[in-house]
Amino acid sequence: MTTTQKTTAAPRMLLVLSENWTLTGGRADLPAAVRWAREAEDAGFDSVMVSEHIVLGPDAAADGVMGNPRDYALPGNQDPYTPWPNSLLLLAAIASVTERLRLAAAAVLAPLRHPLLMARELGTLDLISEGRLLVQPTVSWSRDEYDALGVPFGRRGRLLDEHLEVWAKAWGASPISHESEHYPFRDVYFEPKAFRSDGPRLWFGGRRLGGPVLRRLVRHGHGFHPLGRPTPQDMRALEEAMAAAGRDVADLEMIGGTQAAFPDDHSTADLGAALAGIPEQLEQGFTTFCVKPNQFIDDPAGVGAFCRDVMRRVEALTA
């Protein structure tokens, strides 16, 4: 979507529930994340997001641990002891205590499972939540994680492509078959399906928009979730690729974010400054905006009030 195409939709706010370990240890107090999701829904948030790793290895900290522990985890900047609870189980718990909140399973590392198992887990969660599931499948960056699970790191892109093919078959009529080097099977019955006839909504994104990411987004995607701000060149490439495939980029949900600026390695960021970029992103066609609470507050009991504050500020910014 070009900068001349404006959206009139109200911004939808998404609460990032992963990587809030300055607010919760992610172990015995993990139910706090479920409570925060319910509070976010009560405050008017549209969605919550949970990311995943199955294990971490030494390469998690290959570039040194992040300075401020409130920052986002990136390839090579996190302590290998960082907790990563199972994202789909946590979202299932959240689904049981919410009614309209969308559930974003971000960074689903599909190649680390079999695609039929992955489709079963995703389809069941989509049914439990009555179609509220959003899935962002990806390949990730950690060779150590792939090695630990016995999955060839160099084939991860091809494995993800096969996942997407198998999932599309799984949402269709049974029996299904798949001929491939990695996941061959014949005449299996996959029941029940997902909530929608074409499965959960799929988001794609990353640091760069091009190559396999662009191809998957155009072929399978319902949403574009870049890591950081996409360049004008990225957006033109997306428009052109979508048009070439007979699709309209305006049909994609565009997921933006907030940029926290920390004054030092020990302090929270200013919320107002982080939200100030939303109007510009709205002008560019973005409609959904991620915010991570521990970047702005240190009180685990204050997440509900934080969510209400975010909604008040965003309404004032976009009135």
Side-chain angles (χ1 to χ4, degrees):
M1 188 172 297
T2 65
T3 54
T4 58
Q5 293 174 289
K6 300 179 182 179
T7 177
T8 57
R12 294 182 289 198
M13 300 307 297
L14 181 154
L15 190 71
V16 177
L17 292 178
S18 298
E19 307 173 41
N20 284 283
W21 312 128
T22 55
L23 293 178
T24 171
R27 296 179 174 83
D29 54 351
L30 192 58
V34 180
R35 184 181 70 250
W36 295 341
R38 189 175 63 248
E39 292 172 341
E41 180 177 68
D42 291 342
F45 268 62
D46 168 82
S47 42
V48 294
M49 176 182 289
V50 183
S51 301
E52 75 163 0
H53 282 287
I54 296 176
V55 297
L56 291 178
D59 64 355
D63 297 328
V65 175
M66 65 182 77
N68 193 313
R70 301 165 183 82
D71 211 345
Y72 278 106
L74 296 172
N77 80 339
Q78 56 188 297
D79 187 332
Y81 285 96
T82 300
W84 288 97
N86 185 280
S87 60
L88 300 185
L89 288 177
L90 181 54
L91 288 172
I94 290 170
S96 70
V97 299
T98 56
E99 295 181 355
R100 59 163 188 81
L101 200 70
R102 294 192 299 163
L103 313 171
V108 170
L109 308 184
L112 298 178
R113 290 106 152 167
H114 191 284
L116 288 175
L117 173 60
M118 191 86 255
R120 171 61 60 225
E121 294 174 342
L122 296 175
T124 300
L125 179 51
D126 198 40
L127 287 169
I128 289 172
S129 64
E130 298 182 300
R132 291 186 279 146
L133 180 61
L134 309 162
V135 180
Q136 185 169 329
T138 189
V139 296
S140 193
W141 47 269
S142 173
R143 182 181 292 272
D144 288 348
E145 188 168 20
Y146 276 80
D147 289 348
L149 288 146
V151 178
F153 183 75
R155 297 184 183 179
R156 66 196 189 282
R158 283 172 285 174
L159 295 176
L160 175 55
D161 287 335
E162 284 202 42
H163 267 261
L164 298 172
E165 294 172 8
V166 171
W167 297 355
K169 293 178 179 180
W171 315 137
S174 291
I176 61 175
S177 300
H178 187 69
E179 297 295 337
S180 75
E181 175 187 359
H182 304 104
Y183 306 117
F185 57 85
R186 291 195 61 80
D187 296 331
V188 301
Y189 292 76
F190 187 92
E191 304 293 340
K193 310 295 184 185
F195 186 82
R196 292 183 177 88
S197 61
D198 57 347
R201 305 298 85 181
L202 298 180
W203 289 355
F204 294 93
R207 285 178 177 240
R208 300 175 184 86
L209 181 62
V213 173
L214 181 59
R215 171 173 49 80
R216 293 171 191 136
L217 177 59
V218 169
R219 183 174 178 183
H220 302 283
H222 305 98
F224 174 41
H225 182 199
L227 180 60
R229 300 285 175 84
T231 66
Q233 293 80 6
D234 286 336
M235 299 308 296
R236 281 195 296 272
L238 177 57
E239 288 183 24
E240 292 169 0
M242 290 286 285
R247 300 188 62 191
D248 190 338
V249 71
D251 294 333
L252 288 177
E253 181 173 1
M254 307 290 284
I255 300 93
T258 53
Q259 293 186 325
F262 301 107
D264 52 53
D265 288 344
H266 309 288
S267 304
T268 57
D270 180 75
L271 178 60
L275 297 176
I278 287 180
E280 179 184 356
Q281 293 179 77
L282 283 168
E283 291 282 333
Q284 296 171 343
F286 288 83
T287 59
T288 304
F289 301 94
C290 305
V291 59
K292 190 160 76 83
N294 81 323
Q295 294 192 322
F296 308 101
I297 63 171
D298 280 334
D299 180 8
V303 172
F306 168 78
C307 290
R308 294 189 294 274
D309 187 25
V310 167
M311 295 306 296
R312 284 193 298 267
R313 290 172 181 258
V314 169
E315 182 177 359
L317 278 172
T318 59

